[in-house]
Every structure is written in C-alpha cells, then in structure tokens.
Amino acid sequence: MPFPANLKPGVLVGEDVVTLLQYAKDNGFAIPAVNCISSSSVHAVLEAAAKANSPVILQVSNGGACFFAGKGISNEGQKAAILGAVAFATHCRVMAEHYG
C-alpha cells in the first residue's frame, strides 16, 4: 500500500502518526515493525521501505539499544540502553530523510 500523499516521508510524530495508523486501518493493512540492532539493519529496513513505497516502524529492544551504544559502555543503571536508544532514534531520524 502506498504512503499517504498528505504525509511527508521520514519520522512521523504526533497527529501524523494517528493519521498514518488510521489510513492503514481504513485500507485494511498492517504496518510492519522491524527490530533493529545496528545501523546496517536500520539502513536495510529504510531501503526496503523506500523501494516498496511503504511505511514501516523501526523499533529497538533494550539489548539492541545496548548493542547500538557499543560494548565499551556499562549498562549499570540502564546507561548503555538509554544512550543506545537515543543514538538509534537520532540515526533513524537523520537517515530516514535521505531514504525518503
């Protein structure tokens, strides 16, 4: 199913997310969520979504976020998980603009 014409490709927030989910519901399709653990997996998903002209949800687990942060950062107090999740989200936002 094509991306709704009234939404700009890239990271969606707020009402744009509601609009996209309603569009999917109205047209009878699901939006896939893909668990990513590295920049390579993020790029693969973004490239596939761009080629299919389809929305996708990128997600990261606690362990994936730790991996994204790197082995050199301790996860005491969830530090690596938090830093990795922020790095993941930032990377996704920057790269989504370029994959369209």
Side-chain angles (χ1 to χ4, degrees):
M1 182 63 60
F3 202 78
N6 61 329
L7 295 177
K8 180 183 172 192
V11 175
L12 301 180
V13 297
E15 285 300 314
D16 286 344
V17 174
V18 174
T19 299
L20 178 60
L21 294 175
Q22 188 62 51
Y23 178 82
K25 181 179 178 183
D26 293 346
N27 288 280
F29 70 94
I31 300 171
V34 181
N35 191 50
C36 298
I37 61 164
S38 68
S39 59
S40 296
S41 58
V42 169
H43 299 164
V45 173
L46 290 174
E47 183 177 348
K51 285 181 179 179
N53 191 33
S54 177
V56 66
I57 298 168
L58 298 174
Q59 63 187 26
V60 67
S61 66
N62 185 282
C66 290
F67 186 78
F68 212 88
K71 296 279 186 182
I73 299 177
S74 167
N75 199 34
E76 185 175 340
Q78 297 293 308
K79 180 180 178 180
I82 293 166
L83 290 172
V86 170
F88 168 83
T90 302
H91 185 78
C92 290
R93 181 174 291 277
V94 168
M95 296 312 295
E97 291 181 24
H98 298 282
Y99 280 94

